[in-house]
Amino acid sequence: MVRTILGVMLCLLFAFGVEAEAQQSLNLMPMPAKVQMGSGQLVVDPAFTVSISGHHEARLDRAVEIFLTQLRGQTGMPPIDMKVTDSATATLVIQAAGATKDVQELGEDESYRLDISISGARLNAPTTLGVMRGLQTFLQLVQTTGAGFAVPAVSIEDSPRFPWRGLMIDVGRHFIPIDVLKRNLDGMAAVKLNVFHWHLSENQGFRIESKKFPKLQTMGSDGLYYTQDEVRGVVAYARERGIRVVPEFDMPGHATAWFVGYPELASGAGPYQIERQWGVFDPAMDPTRKETYKFLDAFIGEMAALFPDQFFHIGGDEVNGKEWDANPKIQAFMHAHGLKDNNDLQAHFNQRVQKIVAKHGKTMLGWDEILRPDLPKDIVIQSWRGPDSLAQAAKQGYRGLLSSGYYVDLMWSAERHYATEPLSGAAASLTPEEQKRILGGEACMWSEYVSPENIDSRIWPRTAAIAERLWSPQDARDVNSMYQRLAAVSSWLDEFGLAHNSSYSRMLRRIAGTNDIAALRVLADVLEPVKDYTREETAPAPATSALPLNRMVDAVRPESTTARQFAEAVNELVAGTAKPASEARVKTLLNRWRDNQVDLQPQFEKSLLLSDVAPISQNLSALGAAGLAALDYLDRSEAAPGAWVAQQLALVEQAKKPQTQLLIMVAPSVGKLIQASAGQASSSSAPAK
Amino acid sequence: MVRTILGVMLCLLFAFGVEAEAQQSLNLMPMPAKVQMGSGQLVVDPAFTVSISGHHEARLDRAVEIFLTQLRGQTGMPPIDMKVTDSATATLVIQAAGATKDVQELGEDESYRLDISISGARLNAPTTLGVMRGLQTFLQLVQTTGAGFAVPAVSIEDSPRFPWRGLMIDVGRHFIPIDVLKRNLDGMAAVKLNVFHWHLSENQGFRIESKKFPKLQTMGSDGLYYTQDEVRGVVAYARERGIRVVPEFDMPGHATAWFVGYPELASGAGPYQIERQWGVFDPAMDPTRKETYKFLDAFIGEMAALFPDQFFHIGGDEVNGKEWDANPKIQAFMHAHGLKDNNDLQAHFNQRVQKIVAKHGKTMLGWDEILRPDLPKDIVIQSWRGPDSLAQAAKQGYRGLLSSGYYVDLMWSAERHYATEPLSGAAASLTPEEQKRILGGEACMWSEYVSPENIDSRIWPRTAAIAERLWSPQDARDVNSMYQRLAAVSSWLDEFGLAHNSSYSRMLRRIAGTNDIAALRVLADVLEPVKDYTREETAPAPATSALPLNRMVDAVRPESTTARQFAEAVNELVAGTAKPASEARVKTLLNRWRDNQVDLQPQFEKSLLLSDVAPISQNLSALGAAGLAALDYLDRSEAAPGAWVAQQLALVEQAKKPQTQLLIMVAPSVGKLIQASAGQASSSSAPAK
């Protein structure tokens, strides 16, 4: 029996021994292009071996070594087990047809074919890159079984939909140490992302050592920067995982940290200090002085040698032009050169910088703002504006990347990111040739509100849904399947040392000042941080980079699984399609929420960080009570009195409002229950997710 | 109000604002020599500063840097907060009177005085070493409070009881990577241990690079060894934390791994292979050949230069002598030199090795077996035999260390380690001068059954109780206080990256093959691995170094907190002193155990690693039912029928037997309940802890 299933949850029968095992799902993410289920399973035990045939290169050996280390970690095997062998009867036979490039290129072939039968597995790929991707698929297939560990018999043919699948990490606003970056590179490789976009300079920090201009880091970083040796280490680490590293040096704006050491680069009088708050600031490079370009030539030359990748990101976003307006020399320059506004001036700057970037052998990349027809067609636009902006660029012959819709700092649901399609809107009606110019996209981790402690929880697991959007066929859109696989992938990512799950309890324990966080967790599990830029907009005082990120809003997850599952159960209940178990589950949760305030109350006064949250806990308790009462009306098939309904819905509206930058995500579902108890259809709107 | 409390739980009143806060305990471990409580608390917030006055050295700056990193980690503050300042009004003013030695010496002064008031803190010490110890005390005092974070007002005078407080890690039987060692060094520093004893060579592996004899590592380690650069890194890392590093190269036995590359060192014909099983093996160095000593001279010289510490451990334990007996040349040598038995021959070897060690400027250290009056009095004996053996050595003028009673691989309770006193037995009646020769002790982590994944859980938190025994005054013996503080210290050690807590869930998830481990955890929480050497003795097949350590026996904790607390509650109940809450707790637990089998049953067939445990789960379920029935008799004040009691006690006896190398630690307490229900006094014996 062989069947191909795409974009839906994959089910298969294991034949183990003579006994058919229960149906199990394949928790692959991103979903491969083509999956054919076989029958039976291949046991993965200490005698597991790998042989490497075909084209041989050091990078392939290293990929296999990384794979075996990971496989041993997942199964708890010691390092002297699971060996590489020359034998043709190895458990896993790897064959690569040819060599990878010395510097990984955009569009280099990442396809692979993985065939697993009960007697062995074969992984074939054009190059080591495809082998790397296939090995991650293999790791995702490993399951605890009645035979120990095993992978199911399956044939997979796979290749990515887009050649550029990235994750940007902003290390400027908050410095992120090397070890945290490395574990995130592991996570990227695990879900087949292939570009680490390293946002290295910002108003709040210049994060890399320049040997030519050392005051950049010594005066612009609070001592928080990467040495060039560390950078080389990250680039090598990424290469071992099939990941390109694209550096970004944002200019002419977002550059205050440069000016602390080199005020002559700026358009204002200076002196400058590292910015401590968030937002768009006035300082900008002076695009009219020759010395600016001389500096950039030397600096870009230094960085171009350090970062082997073909692409070089110059930022180019959010210049407010105030320093330009205020500088008479710049105004005179604009007049003399017929530059009619600041956009023209920035375009002039970009043209000159592009020539420098090109001189050093690199292709320029920048945010939407850099797009002007006077730049050569080989530059790439990264869009925070959306697919329409990308489509416009593509029509003009420019290549582009989508990042709008993939900003993981905005605390959206995985579903919403997953629904963000690069070839949608105006991009959907591009010609095939134009569509090819849309290279893919990048998840963006802007770091106003992330620390080394909680950054993983903002990136993962939601970025895996973005990775699937960029790798898998366009028709992989089943949200239920996505969430089920996302949960499995999230646990699997723990094995790479990512802290997105482990940091949660740790932060809650600190907030509570005790290990007894059962009640706090009940509350935290239904909360999410406010969405989009609400945190900034609702802050009681402007946040700074010195602000501790140790509050509930920093600890709770971007997306509440409890709230999502509660909403599903309530929807079924209201629609009359609920199973008894899900009604019981709704009741259990409502009871727990109602009673939780009593358990949590004694802890509030012991912790400042917790006392913050007291009103939210009271609201949750009230929601629990209201939901139970509504359920009671429903159970008795009795319409709730109008006055009661109105009163309870007012309570729900109150509970929906953000408090201390947190949202109670179950409030809308409780509202639905109340409306249903009145015999009304639900018209309650959910908070933006 | 000032009071001094020692060896008991410390209580204090916080005066916060106008409102007195609830009593809180100081969770210090090891308990300082002298504690005087003040009133009020010192707030620890982002503006926290440290100034360094008095004697200045780089090691002190680094100690403060490590402290601030840790303090930021505990409180969730960014690295640009909490600065070092020159101001005399710093929050914490540190003053060291003088310099530390270039190479940390045995007995170097570690004392400190810490005074905390509501307006600031002062830490005074003779040297940086005392500052390091005092900073750890400060970190242990940090609490989440209604004001954010704070330390209580307190005055502490502290110094260690013993100058040698060590942890030995055997990296020979299982290789332990550098990052795992480093986090354990952090844990050691946290509880004021000051010697890392690095057991670097074993029958199963030679774990360090020798440039003079590279076949030691290339042929004797499976590729699992430390480079000399890595070793220097560990030594430097330890020095930054006030920890000496003493290397051990076990000889003439426990040395098979040396002989794989250099068979000529051995007394047999060879060839040799790395041992894969555990136990005592025949291969031993040939003590009769000049070349052996020439090799050791060159090798010890190389290692003496790499390890700056004064002491050099030559092992010297467990030589079975079989290779010596079988070698006619060796027999002839013994005859010619008047060596009447193998002990004499080993003593001859030790004398020659001692001269080599001394020639390279080091003091020799070895296990009990090396003690012979013909060795100079400056050598040190490490005793796996006990305080009597130490006392014997001390009477002869030798210095000694206690390790008997501190073997953490034997899975004893913290209480039992805590009760192990170096100055007990014959050592208690030594003269004060002789007692001074007892330098302290070392916890020993022999690694037959530990992997990088679970080693932390075997070392921590129990080693903190040993650390207290070696640091704190002899009269610190309150077991309840110890357990309460141990729980707090265990969580605090999480902050150093130790995995003793986090590895538990991870391993249970792997065993279950699912994230749904609620039922499995109920079972695992009451289990412990078998004690002493029972695991080896009861293994169905001889264990090898290739055996995965991923079973329940590898995951469950050495000491079950649930079982300990259950035993306490049952004892109260049986004695008639139970509070209603603890009776309810007993009932809740018994109910949970009875019903747990139903929840766990469906998971057994899905996992080989779990199916192993099925009979234990059935036993726990039966214990739960029996306990509930007994409780019912007790509640009704009705004597249980004799036949029923006999039947249930038989069940308890059955459940006490080890199964798959696991013990159900609550079985004896359930037995007590049953006996009480019969109106009998309890005579049930607990399994060895």
Side-chain angles (χ1 to χ4, degrees), chain B residues 234-250:
Chain B
V234 167
V235 169
Y237 194 89
R239 177 171 168 81
E240 286 180 343
R241 284 150 184 83
I243 296 171
R244 298 163 41 214
V245 179
V246 175
E248 176 182 351
F249 296 95
D250 211 341

mmCIF file with all atom_site columns, all heavy atoms in Angstrom, chain B residues 234-250:
data_model
loop_
_atom_site.group_PDB
_atom_site.id
_atom_site.type_symbol
_atom_site.label_atom_id
_atom_site.label_alt_id
_atom_site.label_comp_id
_atom_site.label_asym_id
_atom_site.label_entity_id
_atom_site.label_seq_id
_atom_site.pdbx_PDB_ins_code
_atom_site.Cartn_x
_atom_site.Cartn_y
_atom_site.Cartn_z
_atom_site.occupancy
_atom_site.B_iso_or_equiv
_atom_site.pdbx_formal_charge
_atom_site.auth_seq_id
_atom_site.auth_comp_id
_atom_site.auth_asym_id
_atom_site.auth_atom_id
_atom_site.pdbx_PDB_model_num
ATOM 1   N N   . VAL B 1 234 ? 40.483 24.686 31.453 1.00 0.00 ? 234 VAL B N   1
ATOM 2   C CA  . VAL B 1 234 ? 39.787 24.218 32.659 1.00 0.00 ? 234 VAL B CA  1
ATOM 3   C C   . VAL B 1 234 ? 40.527 24.692 33.916 1.00 0.00 ? 234 VAL B C   1
ATOM 4   O O   . VAL B 1 234 ? 39.915 25.157 34.885 1.00 0.00 ? 234 VAL B O   1
ATOM 5   C CB  . VAL B 1 234 ? 39.651 22.677 32.650 1.00 0.00 ? 234 VAL B CB  1
ATOM 6   C CG1 . VAL B 1 234 ? 39.222 22.153 34.016 1.00 0.00 ? 234 VAL B CG1 1
ATOM 7   C CG2 . VAL B 1 234 ? 38.655 22.249 31.578 1.00 0.00 ? 234 VAL B CG2 1
ATOM 8   N N   . VAL B 1 235 ? 41.852 24.606 33.878 1.00 0.00 ? 235 VAL B N   1
ATOM 9   C CA  . VAL B 1 235 ? 42.641 25.029 35.040 1.00 0.00 ? 235 VAL B CA  1
ATOM 10  C C   . VAL B 1 235 ? 42.423 26.524 35.296 1.00 0.00 ? 235 VAL B C   1
ATOM 11  O O   . VAL B 1 235 ? 42.232 26.956 36.443 1.00 0.00 ? 235 VAL B O   1
ATOM 12  C CB  . VAL B 1 235 ? 44.140 24.705 34.826 1.00 0.00 ? 235 VAL B CB  1
ATOM 13  C CG1 . VAL B 1 235 ? 45.006 25.368 35.891 1.00 0.00 ? 235 VAL B CG1 1
ATOM 14  C CG2 . VAL B 1 235 ? 44.354 23.193 34.828 1.00 0.00 ? 235 VAL B CG2 1
ATOM 15  N N   . ALA B 1 236 ? 42.417 27.318 34.211 1.00 0.00 ? 236 ALA B N   1
ATOM 16  C CA  . ALA B 1 236 ? 42.210 28.765 34.365 1.00 0.00 ? 236 ALA B CA  1
ATOM 17  C C   . ALA B 1 236 ? 40.793 29.056 34.869 1.00 0.00 ? 236 ALA B C   1
ATOM 18  O O   . ALA B 1 236 ? 40.582 29.921 35.722 1.00 0.00 ? 236 ALA B O   1
ATOM 19  C CB  . ALA B 1 236 ? 42.457 29.470 33.030 1.00 0.00 ? 236 ALA B CB  1
ATOM 20  N N   . TYR B 1 237 ? 39.837 28.324 34.323 1.00 0.00 ? 237 TYR B N   1
ATOM 21  C CA  . TYR B 1 237 ? 38.438 28.494 34.723 1.00 0.00 ? 237 TYR B CA  1
ATOM 22  C C   . TYR B 1 237 ? 38.279 28.184 36.208 1.00 0.00 ? 237 TYR B C   1
ATOM 23  O O   . TYR B 1 237 ? 37.605 28.907 36.949 1.00 0.00 ? 237 TYR B O   1
ATOM 24  C CB  . TYR B 1 237 ? 37.571 27.550 33.886 1.00 0.00 ? 237 TYR B CB  1
ATOM 25  C CG  . TYR B 1 237 ? 36.088 27.821 33.923 1.00 0.00 ? 237 TYR B CG  1
ATOM 26  C CD1 . TYR B 1 237 ? 35.509 28.701 33.020 1.00 0.00 ? 237 TYR B CD1 1
ATOM 27  C CD2 . TYR B 1 237 ? 35.252 27.173 34.832 1.00 0.00 ? 237 TYR B CD2 1
ATOM 28  C CE1 . TYR B 1 237 ? 34.137 28.936 33.026 1.00 0.00 ? 237 TYR B CE1 1
ATOM 29  C CE2 . TYR B 1 237 ? 33.886 27.408 34.848 1.00 0.00 ? 237 TYR B CE2 1
ATOM 30  C CZ  . TYR B 1 237 ? 33.331 28.280 33.945 1.00 0.00 ? 237 TYR B CZ  1
ATOM 31  O OH  . TYR B 1 237 ? 31.974 28.515 33.950 1.00 0.00 ? 237 TYR B OH  1
ATOM 32  N N   . ALA B 1 238 ? 38.923 27.117 36.642 1.00 0.00 ? 238 ALA B N   1
ATOM 33  C CA  . ALA B 1 238 ? 38.853 26.730 38.053 1.00 0.00 ? 238 ALA B CA  1
ATOM 34  C C   . ALA B 1 238 ? 39.529 27.791 38.924 1.00 0.00 ? 238 ALA B C   1
ATOM 35  O O   . ALA B 1 238 ? 39.003 28.183 39.966 1.00 0.00 ? 238 ALA B O   1
ATOM 36  C CB  . ALA B 1 238 ? 39.515 25.365 38.250 1.00 0.00 ? 238 ALA B CB  1
ATOM 37  N N   . ARG B 1 239 ? 40.679 28.278 38.483 1.00 0.00 ? 239 ARG B N   1
ATOM 38  C CA  . ARG B 1 239 ? 41.403 29.279 39.277 1.00 0.00 ? 239 ARG B CA  1
ATOM 39  C C   . ARG B 1 239 ? 40.553 30.533 39.474 1.00 0.00 ? 239 ARG B C   1
ATOM 40  O O   . ARG B 1 239 ? 40.536 31.124 40.547 1.00 0.00 ? 239 ARG B O   1
ATOM 41  C CB  . ARG B 1 239 ? 42.728 29.634 38.596 1.00 0.00 ? 239 ARG B CB  1
ATOM 42  C CG  . ARG B 1 239 ? 43.472 30.721 39.351 1.00 0.00 ? 239 ARG B CG  1
ATOM 43  C CD  . ARG B 1 239 ? 44.887 30.962 38.862 1.00 0.00 ? 239 ARG B CD  1
ATOM 44  N NE  . ARG B 1 239 ? 45.402 32.198 39.441 1.00 0.00 ? 239 ARG B NE  1
ATOM 45  C CZ  . ARG B 1 239 ? 45.896 32.306 40.663 1.00 0.00 ? 239 ARG B CZ  1
ATOM 46  N NH1 . ARG B 1 239 ? 45.955 31.245 41.445 1.00 0.00 ? 239 ARG B NH1 1
ATOM 47  N NH2 . ARG B 1 239 ? 46.320 33.472 41.121 1.00 0.00 ? 239 ARG B NH2 1
ATOM 48  N N   . GLU B 1 240 ? 39.826 30.919 38.420 1.00 0.00 ? 240 GLU B N   1
ATOM 49  C CA  . GLU B 1 240 ? 38.948 32.087 38.533 1.00 0.00 ? 240 GLU B CA  1
ATOM 50  C C   . GLU B 1 240 ? 37.868 31.881 39.586 1.00 0.00 ? 240 GLU B C   1
ATOM 51  O O   . GLU B 1 240 ? 37.206 32.834 39.993 1.00 0.00 ? 240 GLU B O   1
ATOM 52  C CB  . GLU B 1 240 ? 38.251 32.351 37.193 1.00 0.00 ? 240 GLU B CB  1
ATOM 53  C CG  . GLU B 1 240 ? 39.153 32.941 36.135 1.00 0.00 ? 240 GLU B CG  1
ATOM 54  C CD  . GLU B 1 240 ? 38.403 33.175 34.835 1.00 0.00 ? 240 GLU B CD  1
ATOM 55  O OE1 . GLU B 1 240 ? 37.313 32.591 34.652 1.00 0.00 ? 240 GLU B OE1 1
ATOM 56  O OE2 . GLU B 1 240 ? 38.924 33.935 33.999 1.00 0.00 ? 240 GLU B OE2 1
ATOM 57  N N   . ARG B 1 241 ? 37.642 30.653 39.956 1.00 0.00 ? 241 ARG B N   1
ATOM 58  C CA  . ARG B 1 241 ? 36.602 30.330 40.934 1.00 0.00 ? 241 ARG B CA  1
ATOM 59  C C   . ARG B 1 241 ? 37.189 29.824 42.251 1.00 0.00 ? 241 ARG B C   1
ATOM 60  O O   . ARG B 1 241 ? 36.470 29.281 43.091 1.00 0.00 ? 241 ARG B O   1
ATOM 61  C CB  . ARG B 1 241 ? 35.644 29.307 40.320 1.00 0.00 ? 241 ARG B CB  1
ATOM 62  C CG  . ARG B 1 241 ? 34.706 29.961 39.314 1.00 0.00 ? 241 ARG B CG  1
ATOM 63  C CD  . ARG B 1 241 ? 34.260 29.049 38.208 1.00 0.00 ? 241 ARG B CD  1
ATOM 64  N NE  . ARG B 1 241 ? 33.454 29.804 37.247 1.00 0.00 ? 241 ARG B NE  1
ATOM 65  C CZ  . ARG B 1 241 ? 33.985 30.549 36.268 1.00 0.00 ? 241 ARG B CZ  1
ATOM 66  N NH1 . ARG B 1 241 ? 35.293 30.644 36.112 1.00 0.00 ? 241 ARG B NH1 1
ATOM 67  N NH2 . ARG B 1 241 ? 33.192 31.216 35.439 1.00 0.00 ? 241 ARG B NH2 1
ATOM 68  N N   . GLY B 1 242 ? 38.500 29.993 42.414 1.00 0.00 ? 242 GLY B N   1
ATOM 69  C CA  . GLY B 1 242 ? 39.125 29.594 43.672 1.00 0.00 ? 242 GLY B CA  1
ATOM 70  C C   . GLY B 1 242 ? 39.208 28.097 43.858 1.00 0.00 ? 242 GLY B C   1
ATOM 71  O O   . GLY B 1 242 ? 39.130 27.591 44.976 1.00 0.00 ? 242 GLY B O   1
ATOM 72  N N   . ILE B 1 243 ? 39.360 27.393 42.745 1.00 0.00 ? 243 ILE B N   1
ATOM 73  C CA  . ILE B 1 243 ? 39.391 25.926 42.797 1.00 0.00 ? 243 ILE B CA  1
ATOM 74  C C   . ILE B 1 243 ? 40.735 25.424 42.275 1.00 0.00 ? 243 ILE B C   1
ATOM 75  O O   . ILE B 1 243 ? 41.171 25.814 41.192 1.00 0.00 ? 243 ILE B O   1
ATOM 76  C CB  . ILE B 1 243 ? 38.228 25.335 41.959 1.00 0.00 ? 243 ILE B CB  1
ATOM 77  C CG1 . ILE B 1 243 ? 36.887 25.748 42.576 1.00 0.00 ? 243 ILE B CG1 1
ATOM 78  C CG2 . ILE B 1 243 ? 38.352 23.810 41.858 1.00 0.00 ? 243 ILE B CG2 1
ATOM 79  C CD1 . ILE B 1 243 ? 35.682 25.406 41.708 1.00 0.00 ? 243 ILE B CD1 1
ATOM 80  N N   . ARG B 1 244 ? 41.374 24.574 43.060 1.00 0.00 ? 244 ARG B N   1
ATOM 81  C CA  . ARG B 1 244 ? 42.592 23.916 42.604 1.00 0.00 ? 244 ARG B CA  1
ATOM 82  C C   . ARG B 1 244 ? 42.221 22.721 41.728 1.00 0.00 ? 244 ARG B C   1
ATOM 83  O O   . ARG B 1 244 ? 41.171 22.108 41.918 1.00 0.00 ? 244 ARG B O   1
ATOM 84  C CB  . ARG B 1 244 ? 43.404 23.433 43.809 1.00 0.00 ? 244 ARG B CB  1
ATOM 85  C CG  . ARG B 1 244 ? 43.885 24.555 44.744 1.00 0.00 ? 244 ARG B CG  1
ATOM 86  C CD  . ARG B 1 244 ? 44.311 24.005 46.103 1.00 0.00 ? 244 ARG B CD  1
ATOM 87  N NE  . ARG B 1 244 ? 45.043 22.773 45.926 1.00 0.00 ? 244 ARG B NE  1
ATOM 88  C CZ  . ARG B 1 244 ? 45.025 21.738 46.761 1.00 0.00 ? 244 ARG B CZ  1
ATOM 89  N NH1 . ARG B 1 244 ? 44.308 21.792 47.864 1.00 0.00 ? 244 ARG B NH1 1
ATOM 90  N NH2 . ARG B 1 244 ? 45.710 20.645 46.489 1.00 0.00 ? 244 ARG B NH2 1
ATOM 91  N N   . VAL B 1 245 ? 43.091 22.384 40.792 1.00 0.00 ? 245 VAL B N   1
ATOM 92  C CA  . VAL B 1 245 ? 42.850 21.217 39.935 1.00 0.00 ? 245 VAL B CA  1
ATOM 93  C C   . VAL B 1 245 ? 43.961 20.206 40.173 1.00 0.00 ? 245 VAL B C   1
ATOM 94  O O   . VAL B 1 245 ? 45.131 20.485 39.911 1.00 0.00 ? 245 VAL B O   1
ATOM 95  C CB  . VAL B 1 245 ? 42.805 21.600 38.444 1.00 0.00 ? 245 VAL B CB  1
ATOM 96  C CG1 . VAL B 1 245 ? 42.585 20.344 37.584 1.00 0.00 ? 245 VAL B CG1 1
ATOM 97  C CG2 . VAL B 1 245 ? 41.701 22.624 38.193 1.00 0.00 ? 245 VAL B CG2 1
ATOM 98  N N   . VAL B 1 246 ? 43.584 19.050 40.711 1.00 0.00 ? 246 VAL B N   1
ATOM 99  C CA  . VAL B 1 246 ? 44.549 17.984 40.977 1.00 0.00 ? 246 VAL B CA  1
ATOM 100 C C   . VAL B 1 246 ? 44.311 16.860 39.975 1.00 0.00 ? 246 VAL B C   1
ATOM 101 O O   . VAL B 1 246 ? 43.240 16.256 39.972 1.00 0.00 ? 246 VAL B O   1
ATOM 102 C CB  . VAL B 1 246 ? 44.389 17.452 42.417 1.00 0.00 ? 246 VAL B CB  1
ATOM 103 C CG1 . VAL B 1 246 ? 45.304 16.262 42.650 1.00 0.00 ? 246 VAL B CG1 1
ATOM 104 C CG2 . VAL B 1 246 ? 44.652 18.560 43.425 1.00 0.00 ? 246 VAL B CG2 1
ATOM 105 N N   . PRO B 1 247 ? 45.300 16.590 39.110 1.00 0.00 ? 247 PRO B N   1
ATOM 106 C CA  . PRO B 1 247 ? 45.110 15.508 38.138 1.00 0.00 ? 247 PRO B CA  1
ATOM 107 C C   . PRO B 1 247 ? 45.418 14.162 38.754 1.00 0.00 ? 247 PRO B C   1
ATOM 108 O O   . PRO B 1 247 ? 46.280 14.067 39.644 1.00 0.00 ? 247 PRO B O   1
ATOM 109 C CB  . PRO B 1 247 ? 46.151 15.844 37.069 1.00 0.00 ? 247 PRO B CB  1
ATOM 110 C CG  . PRO B 1 247 ? 47.278 16.480 37.831 1.00 0.00 ? 247 PRO B CG  1
ATOM 111 C CD  . PRO B 1 247 ? 46.619 17.232 38.985 1.00 0.00 ? 247 PRO B CD  1
ATOM 112 N N   . GLU B 1 248 ? 44.711 13.155 38.322 1.00 0.00 ? 248 GLU B N   1
ATOM 113 C CA  . GLU B 1 248 ? 45.060 11.782 38.736 1.00 0.00 ? 248 GLU B CA  1
ATOM 114 C C   . GLU B 1 248 ? 45.353 10.925 37.512 1.00 0.00 ? 248 GLU B C   1
ATOM 115 O O   . GLU B 1 248 ? 44.562 10.895 36.565 1.00 0.00 ? 248 GLU B O   1
ATOM 116 C CB  . GLU B 1 248 ? 43.915 11.137 39.534 1.00 0.00 ? 248 GLU B CB  1
ATOM 117 C CG  . GLU B 1 248 ? 44.241 9.662  39.888 1.00 0.00 ? 248 GLU B CG  1
ATOM 118 C CD  . GLU B 1 248 ? 43.136 8.937  40.651 1.00 0.00 ? 248 GLU B CD  1
ATOM 119 O OE1 . GLU B 1 248 ? 42.175 9.590  41.077 1.00 0.00 ? 248 GLU B OE1 1
ATOM 120 O OE2 . GLU B 1 248 ? 43.259 7.701  40.815 1.00 0.00 ? 248 GLU B OE2 1
ATOM 121 N N   . PHE B 1 249 ? 46.495 10.268 37.568 1.00 0.00 ? 249 PHE B N   1
ATOM 122 C CA  . PHE B 1 249 ? 46.836 9.248  36.575 1.00 0.00 ? 249 PHE B CA  1
ATOM 123 C C   . PHE B 1 249 ? 47.034 7.954  37.340 1.00 0.00 ? 249 PHE B C   1
ATOM 124 O O   . PHE B 1 249 ? 48.030 7.790  38.042 1.00 0.00 ? 249 PHE B O   1
ATOM 125 C CB  . PHE B 1 249 ? 48.094 9.650  35.797 1.00 0.00 ? 249 PHE B CB  1
ATOM 126 C CG  . PHE B 1 249 ? 47.874 10.894 34.999 1.00 0.00 ? 249 PHE B CG  1
ATOM 127 C CD1 . PHE B 1 249 ? 48.237 12.143 35.506 1.00 0.00 ? 249 PHE B CD1 1
ATOM 128 C CD2 . PHE B 1 249 ? 47.243 10.840 33.769 1.00 0.00 ? 249 PHE B CD2 1
ATOM 129 C CE1 . PHE B 1 249 ? 47.995 13.301 34.787 1.00 0.00 ? 249 PHE B CE1 1
ATOM 130 C CE2 . PHE B 1 249 ? 47.004 12.004 33.047 1.00 0.00 ? 249 PHE B CE2 1
ATOM 131 C CZ  . PHE B 1 249 ? 47.368 13.241 33.547 1.00 0.00 ? 249 PHE B CZ  1
ATOM 132 N N   . ASP B 1 250 ? 46.061 7.087  37.214 1.00 0.00 ? 250 ASP B N   1
ATOM 133 C CA  . ASP B 1 250 ? 46.046 5.887  38.051 1.00 0.00 ? 250 ASP B CA  1
ATOM 134 C C   . ASP B 1 250 ? 47.119 4.923  37.555 1.00 0.00 ? 250 ASP B C   1
ATOM 135 O O   . ASP B 1 250 ? 47.179 4.608  36.372 1.00 0.00 ? 250 ASP B O   1
ATOM 136 C CB  . ASP B 1 250 ? 44.644 5.254  37.993 1.00 0.00 ? 250 ASP B CB  1
ATOM 137 C CG  . ASP B 1 250 ? 44.283 4.542  39.297 1.00 0.00 ? 250 ASP B CG  1
ATOM 138 O OD1 . ASP B 1 250 ? 45.198 4.231  40.082 1.00 0.00 ? 250 ASP B OD1 1
ATOM 139 O OD2 . ASP B 1 250 ? 43.080 4.318  39.515 1.00 0.00 ? 250 ASP B OD2 1
#
